[in-house]
Amino acid sequence: QSALTQPRSVSGSPGQSVTISCTGTSSDVGAYNYVSWHQQHPGKAPELLIYDVTKRPSGVPDRFSGSKSGNTASLTISGLQVEDEADYYCCSYAGTYTPWVFGGGTKVTVL
Amino acid sequence: QVQLVESGGGLVKPGGSLRLSCAASGFTFSDYYMTWIRQAPGKGLEWVSYIHSRGAPTYYADSVKGRFTISRDNAKNTLYLQMNSLRAEDTAVYYCARDDGWHFGYWGQGTLVTVSS
């Protein structure tokens, strides 16, 4: 299973909105509503940000939102804050035998 | 609170073996499927292996199939990854993660495996 495709980097000023895309295929992103997003700060473990395309775990600010259209999922960060500077990874369920595939990661820079 | 603590990483020569452990606490370990995910230095995340709550079935990425074995001891609340025939490309931080139903709700802090002569 190939990795999902994400832009290598996106940037924005504090208070702006940025959107990260995650493009897969009809066998993963397009087939299941099981796309999740993880945030990873340098030297730290990833943390769950969004699951089941649009759901937020408790404690995650509502500035973070997810969506999906066809084979592409998206993560939007509204009202960008300095602490949002991190790497973001999408992940999709892809079937029984190779259950999960990750995106290559997107570095978000707050200007 | 949920805690996952990996151990067992280190420096190993190509062709060597290593066993990673992941000690779980703060939840009923035997109720959850568990996964190993790795991250090569400066690279993205790669799913490695997955095990059902009762120990079977198990699944592996093609890159490790036939060399790695995932297992668990529900009595000890511990997940394992036996890694044999290690290659330089297996060098990575290895994370264990809890499957909360089609997503990874909790991750450990990771353990570094370096394969080098």
Side-chain angles (χ1 to χ4, degrees):
Chain A
Q1 205 76 7
S2 301
L4 307 176
T5 300
Q6 297 181 232
R8 291 187 68 91
S9 64
V10 299
S11 61
S13 300
Q16 286 187 330
S17 292
V18 295
T19 296
I20 302 168
S21 61
C22 169
T23 301
T25 69
S26 56
S27 297
D28 38 61
V29 174
Y32 306 97
N33 286 323
Y34 296 135
V35 175
S36 58
W37 291 89
H38 293 84
Q39 179 190 60
Q40 185 180 36
H41 287 103
K44 301 292 188 182
E47 293 184 352
L48 181 66
L49 207 55
I50 296 285
Y51 67 99
D52 293 354
V53 179
T54 61
K55 298 176 182 175
R56 281 187 311 276
S58 61
V60 172
D62 59 7
R63 305 185 289 104
F64 296 93
S65 62
S67 62
K68 190 186 89 166
S69 177
N71 296 337
T72 299
S74 299
L75 172 72
T76 297
I77 310 174
S78 306
L80 201 60
Q81 299 187 5
V82 172
E83 58 263 34
D84 298 335
E85 190 160 287
D87 292 324
Y88 293 80
Y89 293 91
C90 62
C91 179
S92 175
Y93 181 71
T96 302
Y97 298 104
T98 307
W100 285 278
V101 60
F102 283 94
T106 298
K107 182 175 181 59
V108 170
T109 301
V110 181
L111 301 171
Chain B
Q1 73 282 18
V2 173
Q3 274 202 307
L4 298 169
V5 180
E6 301 93 337
S7 61
L11 176 63
V12 61
K13 289 182 168 52
S17 298
L18 213 54
R19 189 177 84 154
L20 305 183
S21 299
C22 170
S25 60
F27 65 101
T28 304
F29 181 68
S30 58
D31 283 348
Y32 289 86
Y33 304 166
M34 297 293 294
T35 289
W36 287 99
I37 295 161
R38 68 185 180 183
Q39 185 171 35
K43 302 295 185 182
L45 300 170
E46 178 189 16
W47 170 76
V48 173
S49 185
Y50 165 81
I51 187 168
H52 278 218
S53 56
R54 295 190 180 274
T58 58
Y59 301 101
Y60 300 90
D62 287 344
S63 56
V64 307
K65 203 172 292 183
R67 301 187 298 121
F68 289 13
T69 302
I70 190 172
S71 62
R72 64 193 295 162
D73 186 336
N74 286 344
K76 294 183 177 179
N77 293 336
T78 303
L79 175 72
Y80 302 101
L81 186 68
Q82 176 67 43
M83 305 185 296
N84 299 331
S85 303
L86 282 162
R87 307 166 179 166
E89 54 265 36
D90 295 319
T91 294
V93 174
Y94 285 73
Y95 297 100
C96 65
R98 191 180 85 172
D99 179 358
D100 284 353
W102 319 114
H103 59 275
F104 308 120
Y106 292 90
W107 298 63
Q109 85 290 348
T111 187
L112 176 62
V113 172
T114 303
V115 184
S116 174
S117 54

